[in-house]
Amino acid sequence: MANWTQTSQKRLQSILSVETWLPDTMPEYAQGFMYMLGSLTASSFVVLVISGLVLAANGPASWSYNGAMRFVAATHFWGVQAFFFFMMLHLWRVFFTGAWRGGRGLTWLVGSIALLLAIPTAFTGFLINGDLYSEWNAVQAKDGLNALGLGWVNLTNAGQMFGMHVIVMPLVLAFFIGLHITRVRLKSVVPPYPDKSSPETRIQMRERGR
Amino acid sequence: MMDDVVHDYRMVPEDFVKHLTVTLVIVVIVVLVASMLFSVPEAKPLTIKQYAETNPVGFEEVALRALDGQGRIANYGPPYNHGTGNVESGIQQMVGILHPINAAQDFVLKPLAMAASINPAIRPPLKTFTHASRSRQVFWESQLSLALGHAYQRNGRVMLPSGEYGPLAPLLADTLNLGRSGLMSGALIRNSQVVTRFDNQNYLMFLQGAPLHGAVTPLQLKGTQWGIIHPAVKGYPGAWWMTIPTWIYQWPFVANSPANDAIALFLGLLAWLLLALTPWIPVWNQVPKWAGVYRLIWKRYYQEHQKPSDRLGDQGGARSVRSS
């Protein structure tokens, strides 16, 4: 059996390399605002983690009696909006550029899982806010969870929702976001579709035809 | 094998740390400015006290439905009790009772028993009710249920037409008083095993029917009103990323089904699967190619690579190999 440590070293070499994470060159086609959307989504997640840490350290209801905490709650709220806004733009960009091509299917799948996980992550946050929106959505959404056999998730239990929103969901989501970004860095961003009118494609097509 | 990607492109200088810093600064500025300008939407919650004060007849109706087992939670089914009123799937049945609720006891009789230790006048009617036969209780409940339809409030008290309600009329008046006092929340969320109060289940379940439905209908928050994507405070964004599942809820065959939640969420998950498995779904995975939007996104790349002069210029630059 192979040496586990050596196998790990080999596998982790590129994942942990500075060149992977801090590239000083990029493909010429990966320029401009369209190629900032993923980073803007990840940056929004960073803002959410930082504002979330401040909120968690002070308690989920602190916004209701402390002006400064209300401001932090506002940054968390708008951070969520930014996160989903940029994620949706990123989704449109990667869809319309067929970003799964060239062996990048897993990157796409992991990103889709992150999108799915982001929904309950945000939702549990709305539930621990304690306002009308919280109480309504807790009783309204329980029927769907119960129907799917997920009744152990008790949306009206603020303690369970606090744990879900502050620890469980962010960790799981961060794992999938991390995996997604790691795959993007290792595989780079997808190159353009071959354009039949370009000289390169004509040459490639001629070569393939031989 | 043809993998549908170009292989001919240059690597150009990039300052990735600057790129990440710029995106972070952009988000921080956007979030701070939005927070300063718009703060955060917080809709005042509906409390039991508030509902008891503003809608005493409705409050007594809610309490009576908990008592007679006609309420949605009283007759819900798993994971709360053995009811049958809201069982949407076999798996819901299989999960069993995880968060037990006996609405009559938990929402009305136990809170009244606690209140009786402060106000002993509650004790005799409570004893009469609990010691009566079930058929007698049902008779009183049905009589009062009909009467509440014709009841009105005067100075916060519920005025009933005369009838045979046994001890129920004073008991529901006592429940209303308990609600108005603000003490009912403590009676509903108490847990003698622990002193922490994390679990608001019974408080929210008491309000979940007519009280909360009445509060959110003007705000368009109900499921049939595309609820989840609407905010509780007008002018703010709601959970707009739930637009597709919310849309599915509006489909007539979903909306009219008793298992609407199960169907809507199942279809929502199918829609997500279609997205997640896009790379492996024939035809669907060719849509972006046919749509041609990529030509706009990579307009510059295609323009530059159509010029023969660029091909010559490229030869000296860093050229990629297959990047897959």
Side-chain angles (χ1 to χ4, degrees), chain A residues 101-151:
Chain A
R101 290 171 297 127
R104 294 172 178 81
L106 190 59
T107 312
W108 173 276
L109 177 64
V110 172
S112 304
I113 294 172
L115 163 63
L116 184 70
L117 289 169
I119 292 170
T121 308
F123 188 70
T124 48
F126 284 121
L127 294 184
I128 57 174
N129 196 37
D131 68 341
L132 179 67
Y133 198 73
S134 300
E135 46 178 353
W136 171 247
N137 283 307
V139 299
Q140 183 71 354
K142 72 180 189 315
D143 301 329
L145 284 182
N146 293 338
L148 294 181
L150 297 172

Side-chain angles (χ1 to χ4, degrees), chain A residues 21-31 34-36 39-40 43-44 46-47 63 70-71 73-82 84-86 88 91-93 95-98 100-106 108-109 112-113 115-116 118-119 122-123 126 129-140 142-160 185-195 197-201 203-204 208, chain B residues 2-14 16-17 19-20 22-24 26-28 31-32 34-36 38-47 72-73 76 78-80 86 88-89 91-92 95 98-99 198-201 203-205 207-208 212-213 215-216 219 221-223 228 230-232 236-242 249 261-262 265-266 269 272 275-280 284-285 287-289 291 293-295 297-298 301-302 304-306 311 323-324:
Chain A
W21 290 100
L22 299 176
D24 55 7
T25 59
M26 279 282 173
E28 60 176 313
Y29 57 80
Q31 305 294 317
M34 286 291 169
Y35 284 86
M36 291 176 80
S39 303
L40 285 165
S43 297
S44 305
V46 170
V47 168
W63 63 265
R70 190 177 170 87
F71 184 77
T75 63
H76 204 62
F77 173 83
W78 291 108
V80 177
Q81 297 295 330
F84 277 97
F85 177 72
F86 289 127
M88 289 301 162
L91 174 63
W92 286 112
R93 202 278 290 162
F95 177 78
F96 282 115
T97 55
W100 50 83
R101 290 171 297 127
R104 294 172 178 81
L106 190 59
W108 173 276
L109 177 64
S112 304
I113 294 172
L115 163 63
L116 184 70
I119 292 170
F123 188 70
F126 284 121
N129 196 37
D131 68 341
L132 179 67
Y133 198 73
S134 300
E135 46 178 353
W136 171 247
N137 283 307
V139 299
Q140 183 71 354
K142 72 180 189 315
D143 301 329
L145 284 182
N146 293 338
L148 294 181
L150 297 172
W152 63 274
V153 181
N154 188 355
L155 302 180
T156 55
N157 185 327
Q160 187 183 11
R185 289 306 323 132
L186 289 175
K187 304 283 287 183
S188 185
V189 285
V190 73
Y193 282 99
D195 185 349
S197 62
S198 78
E200 289 82 3
T201 312
I203 293 165
Q204 284 172 12
R208 283 194 190 104
Chain B
M2 187 176 171
D3 52 12
D4 220 12
V5 295
V6 300
H7 299 286
D8 194 323
Y9 54 85
R10 288 172 298 129
M11 297 298 284
V12 297
E14 165 81 12
F16 197 57
V17 173
H19 165 89
L20 293 180
V22 167
T23 58
L24 185 60
I26 289 172
V27 175
V28 167
V31 162
L32 287 178
S35 303
M36 282 187 274
F38 309 117
S39 188
V40 57
E42 307 288 4
K44 204 174 179 313
L46 177 69
T47 63
R72 179 126 178 266
I73 295 302
Y76 191 97
Y80 309 117
N86 210 104
E88 294 191 29
S89 67
I91 193 167
Q92 181 180 350
V95 165
L98 303 174
H99 316 293
F198 290 131
D199 190 353
N200 300 315
Q201 174 180 277
Y203 185 94
L204 292 174
M205 293 304 193
L207 289 172
Q208 81 109 46
L212 276 171
H213 278 75
V216 305
L219 300 169
L221 289 182
K222 280 165 61 173
I228 185 70
H230 292 150
Y236 285 86
W240 50 268
W241 45 88
M242 293 293 285
Y249 264 97
D261 301 292
L265 289 180
F266 177 74
L269 280 175
W272 174 79
L275 178 80
L277 300 179
T278 298
W280 303 280
W284 171 236
N285 64 9
V287 167
K289 190 177 179 180
V293 178
Y294 70 88
R295 288 177 192 282
I297 295 169
W298 289 315
Y301 171 85
Y302 289 122
E304 290 183 354
H305 283 252
Q306 274 183 335
R311 276 182 54 72
S323 47
S324 51

Side-chain angles (χ1 to χ4, degrees), chain A residues 3-16:
Chain A
N3 183 304
W4 291 7
T5 305
Q6 287 170 353
T7 307
S8 302
Q9 279 178 349
K10 198 176 166 188
R11 283 182 180 272
L12 291 175
Q13 207 160 30
S14 54
I15 294 177
L16 298 178

